[in-house]
Amino acid sequence: MTASYPATRLRRTRATAWSRSLHRETVMTSADLIWPLFIIEGKGAEEPVASLPGVSRWSIDGIVARAKEAVDLGIPCIALFPNTPDGKRSDDGAEAYNSDNLMCRTIRAVRDAVGGDLGILTDVALDPYTTHGQDGLVDGSGYVVNDNTVAVLVDQAVAQAEAGADIVAPSDMMDGRVHAIRMGLEMNGQPNVQIMSYAAKYASAFYGPFRDAVGSGGRLKGDKKSYQMDPANGDEALREIAMDIAEGADSVMVKPGLAYLDIITRAKARFEIPVFAYQVSGEYALIEAGVAAGVGEREPLLMEKLIAFKRAGCSGVLTYHAPLAARLLNG
Ligand code: PBG
């Protein structure tokens, strides 16, 4: 309810910095950030990702250093993505559930270094481990089969949980995987491991740089439209989210971020559960490209996009800009 002009002049509260700060509806802090990190084999190794300027793949020791940096910056959680060596990729992605794979060794090293001071979120999907770059097992026609894939994802999630992951995050979009993973965790003595489901994950053109970073992009034939969602659909996203909640997800993710703010708002209003957004690799790269092209300054461009996620209803945001954002937010 608003009186008409001049009884109401909405500019009154905007006139000074103290008043703007008093009336600010949404706050963001470094505690709202999750920092995605790419892992490679080796020691002391850092490989810049060409399509993500400013982002590198790190060997385990480098990831441990980033994890300590996250703690120092007040970032509560990191998300890990391995770039599996070529020789360990296979049609069936079996390396995904090897308890000594790059992911599990990294989880243990980070846990050793930071104890319980940092959340470790791990991606559950087969694309960093398959020779074809799909998130699941493919049949003769190239179709990603659902139920056999789910069985492998359960083994992958349990291996990650046993290595010390706090949150397993299935990003594969198979039907029924949240229930199966929840039961797998229960039956394997991991009842307190959270599931953050990539519940509404769209078949997006914004994932290109990520696929470079994990080395799946060049291998991928075709697309992921038979399992990731059609960008035109909103009601279907709510059905995906409802199912994942019913199957045992502790929180849900909408991905990509900025193009799907309506889904975030609808999900939060409908289900009143923690909703996270993934500001994906293409979104990061576009900000960097914009800065390089003189569109504007990096910091304000970034912070305006990040606050939009909070305003839309997010509990937090996965972003490759997390360390920069945390530095800005910490002053
Ligand atoms: C893999 C996965 C993808 C991303 C996160 N997990 C890529 C894909 O589905 O092809 C994308 C993240 C990003 O673009 O930053 N299942």
Side-chain angles (χ1 to χ4, degrees):
M1 176 63 193
T2 298
S4 58
Y5 168 87
T8 296
R9 290 178 185 265
L10 287 173
R11 290 185 56 194
R12 276 185 208 122
T13 55
R14 272 179 229 152
T16 55
W18 67 261
S19 180
R20 288 192 293 276
S21 118
L22 189 64
H23 290 89
R24 191 155 297 134
E25 297 173 32
T26 311
V27 267
M28 179 154 214
T29 72
S30 57
D32 298 317
L33 300 167
I34 298 175
W35 185 6
L37 293 164
F38 299 110
I39 326 163
I40 46 172
E41 290 285 0
K43 250 201 154 86
E46 174 183 358
E47 276 176 17
V49 182
S51 52
L52 286 173
V55 172
S56 292
R57 309 176 189 93
W58 304 88
S59 51
I60 294 178
D61 49 336
I63 298 289
V64 167
R66 301 289 81 70
K68 291 179 177 162
E69 193 181 336
V71 173
D72 290 343
L73 288 168
I75 296 170
C77 188
I78 58 172
L80 297 175
F81 298 94
N83 183 311
T84 307
D86 283 0
K88 296 201 165 148
R89 298 187 194 225
S90 58
D91 281 355
D92 64 3
E95 180 67 4
Y97 54 85
N98 171 3
S99 61
D100 215 30
N101 66 16
L102 183 55
M103 174 70 106
C104 292
R105 279 180 282 126
T106 307
I107 298 167
R108 287 191 289 267
V110 171
R111 181 61 69 220
D112 268 3
V114 300
D117 291 344
L118 183 71
I120 303 173
L121 180 151
T122 54
D123 199 71
V124 181
L126 301 187
D127 50 319
Y129 311 92
T130 54
T131 36
H132 44 70
Q134 294 286 359
D135 290 21
L137 306 173
V138 295
D139 69 12
S141 71
Y143 183 75
V144 174
V145 297
N146 196 87
D147 299 5
N148 291 343
T149 296
V150 169
V152 181
L153 297 174
V154 171
D155 291 344
Q156 179 184 19
V158 168
Q160 293 171 350
E162 287 176 341
D166 300 290
I167 307 176
V168 294
S171 71
D172 54 286
M173 290 298 281
M174 298 300 114
D175 288 324
R177 90 279 206 217
V178 172
H179 171 77
I181 290 170
R182 176 55 74 210
M183 290 303 114
L185 293 172
E186 287 288 329
M187 288 179 327
N188 287 279
Q190 302 294 339
N192 294 326
V193 170
Q194 300 178 32
I195 299 176
M196 180 188 293
S197 116
Y198 288 67
K201 175 170 178 179
Y202 287 88
S204 172
F206 288 89
Y207 303 150
F210 172 97
R211 293 177 187 169
D212 288 349
V214 300
S216 68
R219 305 162 177 279
L220 188 63
K221 289 176 213 74
D223 55 44
K224 300 190 178 182
K225 290 179 183 170
S226 80
Y227 45 108
Q228 298 178 351
M229 283 187 54
D230 182 340
N233 294 356
D235 291 346
E236 187 187 347
L238 296 191
R239 296 181 75 193
E240 284 282 4
I241 291 168
M243 288 191 73
D244 285 2
I245 296 168
E247 290 178 26
D250 300 283
S251 56
V252 295
M253 195 199 296
V254 175
K255 175 183 176 195
L258 210 67
Y260 300 90
L261 290 184
D262 57 322
I263 309 301
I264 294 166
T265 301
R266 289 174 72 185
K268 188 70 189 173
R270 172 85 65 96
F271 303 114
E272 297 164 324
I273 61 151
V275 179
F276 291 82
Y278 199 142
Q279 184 185 51
V280 298
S281 56
E283 296 181 82
Y284 172 97
L286 281 179
I287 294 174
E288 290 300 316
V291 172
V295 171
E297 298 286 322
R298 177 181 291 107
E299 287 76 7
L301 288 172
L302 169 64
M303 296 320 285
E304 185 174 332
K305 286 175 180 250
L306 291 183
I307 201 70
F309 293 117
K310 291 286 304 203
R311 195 187 64 241
C314 278
S315 299
V317 187
L318 291 89
T319 172
Y320 303 96
H321 275 123
L324 171 62
R327 265 180 222 107
L328 295 169
L329 292 164
N330 295 339

